[in-house]
């Protein structure tokens, strides 16, 4: 996985959204995930580095709730976050979850659908 997977997702975000919709995330995780993929992900460069305050404003949530939403996305294996630069700017990278770990957090669905989403 890693950077190449992130760029693949940036060019075809609908594949990542399929995984997102199959999770049992709290509403905050779903809203944050959709805002990140639809509003803040630069599809050409792959950059996705909004602040928690920007995401909170977009989603009409508190910054604390946004942090919880990000934490749920990270725990589900759908997102990773890094601090970069001198100002510790947050950078998010999208990823597909490990299918073995993901089985515990998804609704029952057809295995063929999961393979198509990969």
């Amino acid at each position: 996985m890693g950077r190449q997977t992130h760029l693949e997702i940036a060019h075809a975000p609908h594949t990542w959204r399929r995984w997102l919709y199959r999770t049992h995330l709290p509403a905050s995780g779903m809203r944050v995930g959709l805002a990140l993929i639809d509003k803040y992900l630069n599809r050409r460069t792959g950059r996705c580095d909004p602040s928690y305050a920007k995401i909170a404003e977009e989603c009409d949530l508190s910054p604390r709730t946004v942090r919880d939403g990000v934490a749920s996305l990270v725990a589900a294996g759908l997102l990773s976050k890094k601090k970069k630069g001198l100002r510790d700017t947050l950078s998010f990278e999208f990823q597909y979850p490990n299918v073995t770990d993901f089985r515990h957090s998804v609704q029952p669905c057809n295995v063929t659908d999961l393979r198509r989403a990969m």
Side-chain angles (χ1 to χ4, degrees):
M1 292 207 199
R3 183 77 179 146
Q4 184 171 347
T5 300
H6 172 74
L7 290 174
E8 289 170 7
I9 292 169
H11 296 299
H14 63 280
T15 59
W16 186 84
R17 267 192 229 99
R18 283 189 212 146
W19 285 98
L20 178 68
Y21 291 137
R22 288 185 170 101
T23 61
H24 288 288
L25 291 174
S28 61
M30 188 69 71
R31 288 171 71 180
V32 168
L34 289 172
L36 287 172
I37 196 91
D38 293 331
K39 171 93 175 162
Y40 296 109
L41 176 62
N42 182 315
R43 301 216 191 307
R44 189 174 51 82
T45 65
R47 281 188 61 177
C48 186
D49 50 10
S51 66
Y52 284 129
K54 284 280 189 196
I55 301 167
E57 184 179 318
E58 175 68 23
C59 295
D60 197 26
L61 298 169
S62 72
R64 178 68 207 155
T65 303
V66 169
R67 281 187 176 85
D68 292 343
V70 167
S72 68
L73 290 164
V74 170
L78 291 167
L79 192 70
S80 65
K81 66 178 184 169
K82 300 177 195 172
K83 290 187 177 184
K84 64 178 186 175
L86 298 173
R87 300 169 93 187
D88 285 337
T89 304
L90 277 178
S91 177
F92 299 99
E93 284 199 0
F94 296 88
Q95 58 193 25
Y96 297 118
N98 179 329
V99 176
T100 313
D101 297 338
F102 194 70
R103 286 184 189 148
H104 301 290
S105 63
V106 295
Q107 300 172 8
C109 61
N110 189 326
V111 174
T112 306
D113 291 339
L114 286 176
R115 288 191 186 126
R116 270 190 231 133
M118 296 170 77

